[in-house]
Amino acid sequence: MAWYLHVDMDAFFASVEEALNPSLKGKPVIVGGKNGRGVVTAASYEARKYGVHSAMPGFQAQKLCPGGIFLPNRRRIYRDFSDKVFAILEQYSPEVHAISIDEGIVDLTGTEKLFGPAVKTAKEILARIEKELGLSASGGLSTSRVVAKIAATSAKPHGFLYLAPGAEEAFLSPLPVDAIPGVGPKTHKELLRQGIKTIGDLLKRPQLRRRYLDLDEPEHEDHRHDRSMGNETTLDRPLIQREKMEEVLWELVEEVGSRLREGGLHARCVTLKIRNSNFKTITRSRTLATPTCFDREIFEVARELLEKNLAPGAPVRLLGISASHLLSSGWQESMFEVEKRLSWQKLYQGIDRLRRKYGEEAITVATPHTRTR
């Protein structure tokens, strides 16, 4: 039987700051938005009691929580902790899929002979994250990936929810339909127009059930390449200069590229996400002639998308990059492309090896500001 553990870190950036400085525990910790500038990227649950949440403007957070402890966004440090979390997950399964810097899914199918029942393994993983890293995580365990995600969200903060086979529909039915991953405001509005308010309402529609949930899919079906890998960040201060945006994009691309290479995957599609100061969000994608997992190639696409879609003079609050249509093999390429790929592969294997051994800061690649010809 298939088993999937969805791990979702609790207030991740704030939790990392608390792990590094235990005196912050139990206090309203707010990452980002310092001095009333920029936006909040994370808030501890103590800060959330005041109404503070991520993506909130800093000045508003300060009004709601004047006693809040505002800290700068230290993305590199959070990435290092993320790597440590995923290192624990990877000790229990070769199939670990990173959804974001603080969220992932572990395929525990077939691990019973090594570690015992999946529910025991899931609890052990969450306990190790807390004991070894000092971080709080929530988890959901189910025979369905989507249900595991919903369960983890329902268990937050610092909880675990196990759904035995056959209990999925009873758990899902009373939940609002926008609890399903991927059901955003526009889709939610359309579903409400159709009279679908709860997941129970959606379950009665076979076509929609198949589209949004994976309850009826064969256990052996492989979804590995249906997923995407992405990374985004809400900026402490809105950026206007494109060069500064490119520096942020490069850091995001480095993480996505690293995840792709760890999984032996290449992306056929690259997507850029931009959110302006007026909170208008746009996403733009490009399909590649040849799939890639190399930072420089992903960055070149992201930079071109940024150049074409950046509104002149409009401050940017959020940038994100994602790679999708993931492949491990099966595409055609010329001899020249093969040689180029092997050359890049050798270079990045060395970079990744050094970073795994000595840490993220061991080697830094300069942002490619000049176009390659």
Side-chain angles (χ1 to χ4, degrees):
M1 178 173 290
W3 284 109
Y4 303 102
L5 170 66
H6 192 104
V7 177
D8 193 349
M9 305 304 296
D10 298 324
F12 182 54
F13 294 177
S15 293
V16 169
E17 296 293 348
E18 291 174 2
L20 293 172
N21 182 0
S23 68
L24 295 174
K25 291 186 177 181
K27 298 178 181 179
V29 176
I30 302 168
V31 178
K34 194 173 183 179
N35 300 321
R37 305 171 73 174
V39 297
V40 174
T41 56
S44 67
Y45 287 93
E46 289 76 15
R48 295 182 191 188
K49 293 176 183 178
Y50 294 87
V52 179
H53 57 78
S54 60
M56 172 180 284
F59 70 86
Q60 186 177 352
Q62 287 197 328
K63 287 182 180 178
L64 292 172
C65 186
I69 301 172
F70 287 79
L71 301 173
N73 189 332
R74 302 193 288 176
R75 197 178 325 112
R76 285 285 186 178
I77 291 177
Y78 308 145
R79 168 65 195 276
D80 286 343
F81 269 82
S82 174
D83 289 343
K84 293 174 183 177
V85 170
F86 280 95
I88 292 175
L89 304 185
E90 288 163 0
Q91 292 177 31
Y92 293 88
S93 172
E95 296 292 333
V96 176
H97 308 299
I99 297 171
S100 67
I101 192 173
D102 62 349
E103 192 173 1
I105 189 162
V106 188
D107 186 345
L108 294 176
T109 306
T111 63
E112 292 87 350
K113 290 183 179 180
L114 289 173
F115 306 113
V119 64
K120 171 181 171 292
T121 304
K123 291 178 178 179
E124 181 179 314
I125 290 172
L126 297 175
R128 281 191 60 190
I129 292 172
E130 182 172 16
K131 182 179 180 180
E132 296 176 21
L133 303 178
L135 301 176
S136 171
S138 296
L141 182 68
S142 173
T143 57
S144 154
R145 290 173 174 82
V146 176
V147 177
K149 158 69 174 174
I150 298 172
T153 301
S154 300
K156 294 178 78 70
H158 200 208
F160 172 67
L161 186 55
Y162 160 66
L163 290 172
E168 297 89 354
E169 293 195 22
F171 163 68
L172 293 171
S173 290
L175 298 177
V177 71
D178 60 349
I180 298 175
V183 175
K186 289 184 179 179
T187 302
H188 187 209
K189 185 177 180 180
E190 174 59 24
L191 290 173
L192 290 176
R193 190 186 65 79
Q194 298 179 42
I196 300 172
K197 298 180 180 179
T198 66
I199 298 180
D201 297 331
L202 183 139
L203 289 171
K204 298 172 186 176
R205 312 278 187 98
Q207 186 175 359
L208 295 177
R209 175 189 176 112
R210 287 192 297 271
R211 180 186 302 175
Y212 292 104
L213 298 167
D214 55 356
L215 296 175
D216 307 316
E217 296 175 349
E219 293 176 6
H220 65 273
E221 187 173 344
D222 184 8
H223 294 264
R224 175 170 184 164
H225 302 158
D226 294 342
R227 302 292 172 175
S228 63
M229 292 186 181
N231 189 22
E232 64 180 45
T233 185
T234 302
L235 304 164
D236 280 341
R237 298 180 181 180
L239 297 179
I240 296 177
Q241 293 181 310
R242 185 154 58 90
E243 186 174 284
K244 295 294 184 182
M245 297 178 200
E246 289 179 1
E247 291 177 2
V248 174
L249 268 184
W250 178 250
E251 292 189 19
L252 299 177
V253 165
E254 281 189 312
E255 179 171 328
V256 173
S258 176
R259 296 284 189 208
L260 287 171
R261 294 189 295 276
E262 285 175 10
L265 298 172
H266 292 66
R268 173 76 77 176
C269 182
V270 173
T271 300
L272 173 71
K273 180 178 179 180
I274 306 170
R275 179 173 297 154
N276 296 328
S277 287
N278 60 3
F279 292 94
K280 178 183 178 182
T281 304
I282 64 169
T283 57
R284 295 292 184 268
S285 301
R286 178 175 298 174
T287 300
L288 311 180
T290 303
T292 187
C293 63
F294 304 126
D295 304 350
R296 185 175 290 271
E297 293 182 335
I298 297 171
F299 177 78
E300 286 299 328
V301 175
R303 179 165 59 180
E304 290 177 10
L305 290 172
L306 179 68
E307 184 178 354
K308 289 184 178 180
N309 296 283
L310 186 64
V316 169
R317 284 186 175 272
L318 176 146
L319 286 168
I321 193 77
S322 64
S324 58
H325 298 183
L326 307 182
L327 303 167
S328 56
S329 62
W331 65 89
Q332 294 183 336
E333 53 189 338
S334 68
M335 183 62 69
F336 172 77
E337 290 293 335
V338 171
E339 291 177 353
K340 184 176 76 169
R341 178 165 57 85
L342 292 175
S343 176
W344 280 114
Q345 188 172 309
K346 185 176 180 180
L347 170 65
Y348 281 102
Q349 281 176 345
I351 292 174
D352 293 338
R353 187 164 53 248
L354 286 171
R355 285 176 172 166
R356 282 195 300 269
K357 187 173 183 179
Y358 298 108
E360 191 68 27
E361 302 292 342
I363 182 169
T364 302
V365 181
T367 310
H369 287 303
T370 57
R371 293 190 182 278
T372 56
R373 297 292 182 181

